[in-house]
Amino acid sequence: MKKGTRQSPSYRPVNRYLNRDLSWIEFNRRVLEEAEDAATPLLERLQFLAITASNLDEFMGVRVAGLKDQRKAGMNKTDFTGYTPQGLIKRVMKRTERFIRDQYRTYRELMRLMAREGVFIASWEELSTAQREAMKQYFQDIVYPVLTPMAVDVSRPFPLVHSREVYLAVVLRPLAPNARHEERTYCAIVQVPSILPRTIPVPGRGNSRKMTFLMLEELIKEQIGLLFSGYATEAVHAFRITRNSDLTLNEEEAEDLLQELEKELRRRRRGFPVRLEIEKGMHPSALEMLKDELELDDGVFEIEGPLDLSFLSKFAGSLTNFDHLRYPKVEPAYPVEFEEGEDIMGVIRERDVLVYHPYESFEAVHDFLIEAAADPEVLAIKMTLYRVDAHSVLVQALVKAAESGKQVTVVVEIKARFDEERNIAWARQLEKAGCHVVYGLAGLKTHAKVTLVVRREAGALRRYVHVGTGNYNESTAKLYTDAGLFTCHPDIGADASALFNEMTGYSTPHDWRAFAVAPDALKPKLFDLIDREIRFAREGRDARIIAKMNSLSNQQMIDKLYEASQAGVCIELIVRGVCCLRPGVPGLSENIRVVSIVDRFLEHSRILAVSAGGEDEVYISSADWMTRNLTRRVEVMCPVYDSGLRAMLVNLLRMNLLDNVKARELTPGGGYARVEGGGQTPLRSQFELADIPLWKTVASAAED
């Protein structure tokens, strides 16, 4: 096992585990490092910075909101990592403050570099007279009609302030005080309309090639007096709140889950505030009003720069003729296996096919379903949908299949966080087309990614299955690394049928032939595989585990890995995000190495390889090793039976482990250190994988 930078062998942690929330902050910092890295193309740096802002929004609205719920309920019990809710909130807020300072330091540096490229986000004072006049006209024509000033006084209570929207707090003073308007200040709120572009192109100066933009809130600030005639503007400052975004559904008692979720989504708009972001130097009257009305005693962050840096994603994407500031385009290749055959199902009858996105095109999944929808011999199509693209080709194929008389069953997970409304819309469209739509099992999210096609062939039925590690989403398939297996193996087909029967009917847990399915069978299967490696190690045989996932936080899984390490099993983990396991601790985890890769694409695939005493067993899965995935979700882990495909996946894992450009190694103390090349040739795994023959030929060699 390749060794990375570790702390002193004498290091002994107070706690055997790292905290999940603090580990998440470390992950977001690794994303920020990509924005800070001068080797990253400039517009990509802006994208990474935008991602850190979006990530932090979700973290505050879900994880920190949950901690505040616990504190409010008076919980003071420590979790398995040694923190009480109150103690953890303090630590999280302190690290978040530090993180935000680093975010905005990076923002200022990136804006300085953008200016060198001739792109400016200017202040009002930096505009010429002609540019200001153009912006005033834009305000009158486009902005002013959609603004709504909201006064805050005795007769007009504090309005509903939406989560994650930018607002302006306006402090006013009457121009002519009288008995009705005494000499005092008044407060009002104006929402910066999110339906308008956040950055406004400003006409250039003469023949200048410079591109100048003005922030929408800056324009509104300069013209705010037009909204409050008879008052002088004493101060205008931006603010933004983040509300509790988690949903609490009583699924057991809900008569209609769809209607209950819609009610909960409406309640979420009024979730209690968790975080208040304010522009630096906010007027004391405005700040006092906000803190009183929002009842926030902590979680107030003063920001030196524009609020909500996620706007940088659209801003960077809108800039044309700047391809030299972006990564080179990667055109996904259509899987060569399907190009060789006349039809996809004909190819699958001959052999299993594994595709790896985004290097290979998601169109293969489209074509599989489109072909099934048009095939008169296909009798039924069953599919799970968790997060679906806004313009889903797959949904349209399901609609056509249902309209042509095929039996179409779709398990739509309407509780997928922040995609609830879109999934409700898809569910209704599918139902209208005649699909049988179900919303999974009460109390469980359906996170498995499985498609089953039942086809009549020579008087019998054959099942074709696609199992994936990622969502059936065309957009994210271009940005996330994920594996997908096409097969008609009879055991996998039988298990796919049983899985859908469990989700749509009242079937009892199945005696799985190939699948391991959470919440009942996945964790026991993983434990069995690890126990077998422990036995091999004790017998002096080859014992090795390589696992790739997004997060590792389940205490029992971590303890089992510690046990395996102590038995001598070599364990290599590729964990992109949260990891609560401490690697490299003598007597506990010295045989465990953990690396995280943050690069151009989001590492999203879940793959497990175990030595099986000499010949690798390989599985792909929808599940991370987190408590929610193992105990509160419907998840699937599927074996890869084809020896060539197993070799290909092991090669992918090894390439990740050899990465010495974008890999960071987790230290026992919870920090991450960049993997040093040590004079070796730089290997950037995501760029190596773009050379598809490099790892596809491994499969052919293994089969030969």
Side-chain angles (χ1 to χ4, degrees):
M1 175 167 55
K2 180 183 175 182
K3 299 294 182 183
T5 304
R6 297 197 185 281
Q7 292 186 227
S8 166
S10 62
Y11 176 79
R12 286 290 191 278
V14 174
N15 193 290
R16 288 159 51 101
Y17 315 97
L18 298 168
N19 179 266
R20 170 180 171 173
D21 296 308
L22 300 181
S23 178
W24 182 91
I25 294 174
E26 285 292 323
F27 160 65
N28 212 30
R29 182 161 291 282
R30 296 196 294 281
V31 179
L32 182 59
E33 286 175 2
E34 293 303 301
E36 296 169 336
D37 190 345
T40 302
L42 184 52
L43 291 183
E44 306 294 349
R45 294 173 71 178
L46 291 179
Q47 293 283 5
F48 278 115
L49 186 56
I51 291 169
T52 67
S54 298
N55 285 349
L56 191 57
D57 281 350
E58 183 170 347
F59 177 70
M60 284 286 167
V62 178
R63 294 299 305 174
V64 176
L67 291 172
K68 288 195 170 187
D69 269 339
Q70 294 175 29
R71 182 178 67 181
K72 188 176 180 181
M75 294 178 60
N76 56 12
K77 184 180 178 182
T78 59
D79 63 16
F80 76 94
T81 66
Y83 284 93
T84 63
Q86 176 62 19
L88 186 53
I89 288 172
K90 288 181 178 178
R91 183 67 66 88
V92 163
M93 291 303 182
K94 186 175 180 180
R95 291 199 186 183
T96 300
E97 285 179 0
R98 245 185 351 251
F99 182 82
I100 290 171
R101 286 197 297 271
D102 291 340
Q103 272 185 316
Y104 281 87
R105 175 185 48 75
T106 304
Y107 170 77
R108 289 187 289 274
E109 170 65 11
L110 296 183
M111 289 300 101
R112 185 182 65 81
L113 295 173
M114 290 298 295
R116 286 186 184 177
E117 299 290 336
V119 180
F120 300 83
I121 295 181
S123 66
W124 183 260
E125 291 74 20
E126 292 171 314
L127 302 183
S128 68
T129 301
Q131 288 175 321
R132 291 183 186 183
E133 289 303 316
M135 288 295 94
K136 288 178 182 178
Q137 193 61 51
Y138 180 88
F139 178 84
Q140 288 286 353
D141 295 343
I142 305 297
V143 183
Y144 182 80
V146 298
L147 296 180
T148 303
M150 297 175 284
V152 180
D153 55 29
V154 176
S155 63
R156 290 166 290 194
F158 193 78
L160 174 64
V161 175
H162 296 287
S163 186
R164 305 186 190 185
E165 298 282 350
V166 178
Y167 288 80
L168 298 176
V170 188
V171 180
L172 303 161
R173 191 177 297 277
L175 287 173
N178 54 37
R180 182 167 175 268
H181 296 288
E182 64 275 13
E183 183 64 40
R184 69 180 182 87
T185 57
Y186 295 81
C187 287
I189 289 173
V190 178
Q191 182 176 358
V192 177
S194 56
I195 58 172
L196 298 178
R198 184 85 183 276
T199 51
I200 310 165
V202 180
R205 299 170 183 253
N207 295 324
S208 172
R209 294 185 178 181
K210 293 179 180 178
M211 298 179 65
T212 303
F213 296 85
L214 183 69
M215 298 295 294
L216 177 58
E217 58 265 34
E218 289 301 309
L219 176 58
I220 298 172
K221 283 181 183 181
E222 290 301 324
Q223 303 298 304
I224 199 75
L226 298 177
L227 295 172
F228 301 99
S229 59
Y231 289 82
T233 304
E234 189 164 303
V236 189
H237 289 101
F239 74 93
R240 182 172 180 262
I241 69 168
T242 307
R243 295 185 180 275
N244 184 344
S245 302
D246 219 0
L247 297 177
T248 305
L249 285 175
N250 187 349
E251 298 183 48
E252 297 291 346
E253 297 182 11
E255 294 183 7
D256 187 314
L257 185 58
L258 202 63
Q259 291 181 5
E260 186 65 26
L261 181 58
E262 288 176 319
K263 291 178 185 176
E264 188 62 27
L265 287 173
R266 289 192 291 271
R267 285 193 290 269
R268 183 161 74 180
R269 295 171 192 159
R270 297 181 178 274
F272 71 84
V274 177
R275 173 181 60 164
L276 170 64
E277 298 166 275
I278 59 171
E279 188 179 351
K280 187 175 182 179
M282 176 172 272
H283 193 285
S285 297
L287 179 56
E288 183 180 359
M289 173 193 69
L290 291 174
K291 292 175 74 172
D292 287 347
E293 294 290 347
L294 299 173
E295 299 180 353
L296 270 170
D297 55 353
D298 57 12
V300 179
F301 298 93
E302 190 175 58
I303 305 297
E304 189 172 1
L307 306 187
D308 185 16
L309 292 177
S310 67
F311 82 89
L312 291 170
S313 180
K314 286 185 179 178
F315 175 67
S318 70
L319 297 175
T320 57
N321 302 319
F322 285 91
D323 285 348
H324 63 289
L325 300 180
R326 295 186 171 94
Y327 286 126
K329 288 186 178 179
V330 172
E331 292 296 337
Y334 197 80
V336 64
E337 297 90 340
F338 292 144
E339 286 184 337
E340 295 172 355
E342 295 183 1
D343 62 272
I344 287 179
M345 281 184 275
V347 172
I348 298 171
R349 279 195 295 276
E350 296 297 320
R351 54 176 164 165
D352 291 355
V353 176
L354 191 136
V355 295
Y356 199 63
H357 312 299
Y359 311 102
E360 294 184 288
S361 175
F362 196 73
E363 288 183 10
V365 182
H366 289 172
D367 292 347
F368 173 62
L369 204 61
I370 291 169
E371 182 181 304
D375 188 341
E377 298 304 318
V378 169
L379 305 181
I381 301 173
K382 302 183 180 185
M383 190 174 189
T384 61
L385 293 179
Y386 188 75
R387 296 192 193 277
V388 190
D389 190 70
H391 308 286
S392 177
V393 173
L394 299 175
V395 170
Q396 299 310 318
L398 292 170
V399 167
K400 289 181 181 179
E403 290 174 345
S404 68
K406 292 178 173 57
Q407 184 185 53
V408 179
T409 302
V410 189
V411 181
V412 179
E413 183 45 76
I414 57 174
K415 302 186 294 297
R417 186 178 291 136
F418 303 123
D419 279 338
E420 299 95 345
E421 294 182 18
R422 179 183 294 172
N423 285 3
I424 288 172
W426 283 131
R428 288 191 165 134
Q429 181 180 340
L430 290 165
E431 284 179 333
K432 187 176 180 181
C435 301
H436 178 49
V437 179
V438 296
Y439 309 123
L441 301 170
L444 301 173
K445 277 188 180 180
T446 302
H447 194 246
K449 293 85 169 66
V450 181
T451 301
L452 169 66
V453 173
V454 181
R455 189 174 189 271
R456 181 172 46 213
E457 296 177 6
L461 297 182
R462 190 191 300 269
R463 300 180 180 98
Y464 296 82
V465 181
H466 174 269
V467 182
T469 66
N471 299 314
Y472 287 116
N473 186 304
E474 296 95 307
S475 296
T476 58
K478 298 174 184 176
L479 304 171
Y480 296 5
T481 68
D482 272 307
L485 175 68
F486 295 91
T487 181
C488 60
H489 192 287
D491 287 350
I492 293 176
D495 279 359
S497 287
L499 175 67
F500 281 103
N501 289 341
E502 274 199 29
M503 290 189 290
T504 62
Y506 286 110
S507 298
T508 56
H510 182 61
D511 184 14
W512 305 104
R513 302 183 193 177
F515 285 175
V517 179
D520 296 320
L522 178 52
K523 189 162 71 169
K525 174 66 175 180
L526 290 170
F527 277 25
D528 286 346
L529 292 173
I530 297 171
D531 281 335
R532 188 180 63 185
E533 296 302 308
I534 291 172
R535 187 175 73 251
F536 289 157
R538 288 171 177 164
E539 293 171 355
R541 300 169 65 185
D542 182 30
R544 176 176 41 81
I545 297 169
I546 307 175
K548 180 175 181 178
M549 66 199 75
N550 298 322
S551 299
L552 168 59
S553 62
N554 180 265
Q555 183 182 5
Q556 292 174 312
M557 281 300 306
I558 294 170
D559 287 341
K560 180 58 70 173
L561 291 171
Y562 285 159
E563 181 186 346
S565 172
Q566 292 164 30
V569 179
C570 176
I571 302 170
E572 296 179 290
L573 304 176
I574 307 156
V575 185
R576 184 197 78 227
V578 169
C579 183
C580 297
L581 178 148
R582 291 186 189 271
V585 178
L588 179 69
S589 57
E590 65 264 43
N591 289 313
I592 304 178
R593 179 181 182 230
V594 179
V595 298
S596 170
I597 296 172
V598 178
D599 201 349
R600 173 180 187 169
F601 301 120
L602 184 82
E603 293 288 343
H604 193 255
S605 53
R606 291 94 167 187
I607 305 168
L608 170 66
V610 293
S611 70
E615 183 178 350
D616 289 312
E617 279 186 18
V618 182
Y619 301 82
I620 63 172
S621 178
S622 60
D624 293 313
W625 292 0
M626 305 176 73
T627 300
R628 70 184 187 191
N629 299 88
L630 299 174
T631 64
R632 299 194 299 273
R633 290 186 173 188
V634 177
E635 304 272 14
V636 165
M637 186 174 74
C638 176
V640 178
Y641 289 125
D642 182 276
S643 61
L645 301 187
R646 290 200 305 269
M648 187 184 86
L649 286 170
V650 170
N651 191 47
L652 294 175
L653 294 174
R654 291 197 181 284
M655 208 169 287
N656 283 163
L657 291 167
L658 291 172
D659 193 310
N660 56 17
V661 177
K662 290 297 183 180
R664 283 88 160 173
E665 185 161 354
L666 177 59
T667 66
Y672 283 79
R674 282 191 179 272
V675 174
E676 300 295 336
Q680 298 178 353
T681 302
L683 191 151
R684 189 171 179 178
S685 59
Q686 288 195 358
F687 280 34
E688 294 291 328
L689 290 169
D691 182 7
I692 294 174
L694 181 68
W695 42 272
K696 277 282 185 178
T697 51
V698 176
S700 301
E703 287 193 8
D704 294 342

